[in-house]
Amino acid sequence: METIDAPSLFSWRQMAFAGLLIAGGWAFGYVRSHRAQVQNVQDWVFSKLWSAMSEQSAERVEEFRKPLWLQAHGNVLEIGIGHGEGLMLLPHSQANDETSKVQGITNYVAIEPNAFLHAKLVENAAKAGFTVNYDPETCPDAAPSAATDAELPTLTIVNGTLDGGPDAIPAHVLEHAPYDCILVSMVFCSVNDLRANLQAIQHLLKPGGKYIFIEHVRHTDTTDTTVNAHYVPGSMNLFGWKMLQNILTPIWKPLTGNCHMNRDTGGVIRAMDGWSKVEITTHRGVENPLAKLMPLVYGMAVKQ
């Protein structure tokens, strides 16, 4: 009986492809069964990346964010606060001992799902004039909170998200609602469900409360009337840059904590019911390739 060698039945390409399928199946199964550990590694990697990038990102958005953050008052929620770089942009008054104190804010709840960013957040919150607490339910392993100072507003760190919409809001966040202001800076590019987050924001705001935001987004077209005076019409190939955003996003996402270059956050905010007023400005940066890849929208939406 004639025998046939295996190599004559399967080429090396077929065998390599089969090996890749097996390895891919194993990796997929490992990720599914070790989701918490994988997320922990991703959070650690992103924390290192953000530590290197956050200062540059803050500098880029500061001129637009500062006048918005100065409007924060009363009971405030910030979503995806990161290291808390924007806390010093809040209203402050100069004390007699030349220290800076937060002014007009009675309570501050700060959602940040990446625990590797919390230590720097605590440091920046203290510098900005807050007493800092951890929500014990979502941060059970955090160090005990320092003694509170009755003269300072309290900032409470909550480890969580609003991806579940109004029906899955962390208990501490819900208990302190309704909010006068909800702040979000460069966050909604990376959430799992943009609309669910916006619905949760409307649920948490008091009537007349302000959702104040700045985000990087996908390019709009030449009919966009919200573009500010920095941009010279015709100075960019908007279609080409929009296509590049679409091409790069699948590569960019796993490296940057699920960040989407091509998310139309401004359009979704404008189209959403439940606002009495929406003010949005679009900034198309032309100073470098990264600015061209990531135009900004900023402004506020007021709940009916």
Side-chain angles (χ1 to χ4, degrees):
M1 182 177 178
E2 184 180 0
T3 59
I4 302 176
D5 292 337
S8 66
L9 290 175
F10 303 105
S11 70
W12 70 268
R13 290 184 180 86
Q14 290 172 317
M15 295 178 70
F17 181 68
L20 286 173
L21 284 178
I22 293 170
W26 178 88
F28 181 74
Y30 181 88
V31 169
R32 282 179 62 89
S33 60
H34 297 78
R35 194 166 295 174
Q37 294 94 319
V38 171
Q39 184 64 54
N40 201 48
V41 171
Q42 290 176 330
D43 285 349
W44 179 83
V45 171
F46 179 76
S47 73
K48 297 302 179 185
L49 180 66
W50 187 244
S51 293
M53 295 176 55
S54 59
E55 185 174 342
Q56 180 182 1
S57 176
E59 289 175 358
R60 182 189 174 211
V61 304
E62 184 168 332
E63 69 171 293
F64 311 114
R65 182 167 60 171
K66 186 173 183 178
L68 294 171
W69 261 230
L70 283 173
Q71 299 179 53
H73 65 278
N75 187 25
V76 179
L77 170 67
E78 182 167 355
I79 302 168
I81 192 172
H83 287 152
E85 298 92 342
L87 292 173
M88 287 304 298
L89 302 180
L90 298 169
H92 281 74
S93 62
Q94 204 72 19
N96 293 333
D97 58 0
E98 298 185 355
T99 59
S100 183
K101 291 189 176 182
V102 183
Q103 187 175 29
I105 292 175
T106 56
N107 181 59
Y108 207 98
V109 178
I111 297 178
E112 177 47 59
N114 190 331
F116 293 104
L117 303 180
H118 288 178
K120 186 67 174 178
L121 169 56
V122 170
E123 180 183 330
N124 285 336
K127 289 179 181 178
F130 288 96
T131 293
V132 183
N133 288 329
Y134 284 98
D135 170 31
E137 182 176 336
T138 60
C139 306
D141 299 324
S145 302
T148 59
D149 185 333
E151 296 184 3
L152 301 178
T154 298
L155 182 148
T156 304
I157 300 171
V158 177
N159 190 331
T161 73
L162 298 183
D163 276 329
D167 297 327
I169 296 171
H172 184 91
V173 176
L174 195 58
E175 288 166 5
H176 287 78
Y179 294 91
D180 296 292
C181 300
I182 297 180
L183 312 180
V184 189
S185 175
M186 308 294 274
V187 171
F188 282 173
C189 59
S190 59
V191 297
N192 292 325
D193 192 329
L194 173 58
R195 286 175 175 79
N197 275 265
L198 290 170
Q199 288 165 358
I201 284 174
Q202 283 194 346
H203 182 76
L204 291 166
L205 280 170
K206 73 177 188 180
K210 295 178 180 179
Y211 158 45
I212 301 172
F213 59 88
I214 181 165
E215 301 284 352
H216 74 81
V217 293
R218 82 177 185 191
H219 275 289
T220 52
D221 57 29
T222 55
T223 64
D224 187 354
T225 59
T226 69
V227 179
N228 64 15
H230 289 76
Y231 178 72
V232 178
S235 61
M236 289 178 64
N237 180 345
L238 298 177
F239 178 79
W241 282 100
K242 189 187 295 186
M243 290 294 295
L244 187 58
Q245 287 178 312
N246 290 334
I247 292 168
L248 291 178
T249 291
I251 304 167
W252 183 255
K253 281 197 307 179
L255 301 175
T256 55
N258 199 43
C259 173
H260 294 67
M261 289 183 174
N262 59 351
R263 187 167 276 177
D264 184 20
T265 305
V268 175
I269 294 170
R270 279 194 296 264
M272 188 175 179
D273 293 331
W275 308 120
S276 63
K277 180 173 67 173
V278 177
E279 297 177 356
I280 291 184
T281 302
T282 300
H283 173 71
R284 291 180 183 147
V286 296
E287 59 271 22
N288 56 57
L290 187 61
K292 291 180 179 181
L293 269 175
M294 295 187 175
L296 303 172
V297 293
Y298 55 93
M300 74 172 66
V302 181
K303 181 180 175 179
Q304 287 179 347

